[in-house]
Amino acid sequence: GGDPQLKFLLQWMAVSASGRPRMVYCSFNDQRVDNLPGLVATLRARKATVRDLHAVLCAVEFQAAKPWRSGVFAYVEGAMCKGA
């Protein structure tokens, strides 16, 4: 169970922080992560860091409503664009 988009981001952050050059993520054909390549490309183009992603995800805790009704990827992408 759980949110596959959030799970991907948490795993990617952990792999990046550990210095590993790459990771393998098995989506099991879950359509909720179909935009994964697009998000990764956007974050890389913006030179987003683990710290940046951590800050965006932690900020959610302080918001009254769930801000990612349209998906974690859309929320993160939007938050990173605002911060640029």
Side-chain angles (χ1 to χ4, degrees):
D3 188 306
Q5 294 181 355
L6 181 59
K7 286 181 177 183
F8 167 78
L9 287 172
L10 294 173
Q11 290 175 29
W12 191 32
M13 290 167 54
V15 167
S16 297
S18 73
R20 305 282 296 174
R22 66 178 148 180
M23 73 177 242
V24 175
Y25 183 76
C26 297
S27 68
F28 301 104
N29 296 319
D30 191 323
Q31 293 178 347
R32 294 175 290 177
V33 290
D34 282 352
N35 190 35
L36 194 152
L39 177 71
V40 170
T42 297
L43 295 176
R44 285 186 172 157
R46 295 192 170 280
K47 298 188 184 331
T49 65
V50 171
R51 177 179 282 176
D52 297 333
L53 289 173
H54 183 260
V56 167
L57 293 175
C58 286
V60 171
E61 179 182 351
F62 300 106
Q63 298 181 19
K66 289 285 186 200
W68 52 49
R69 286 192 180 101
S70 61
V72 178
F73 288 176
Y75 173 79
V76 168
E77 202 164 5
M80 295 301 290
C81 288
K82 287 180 191 174

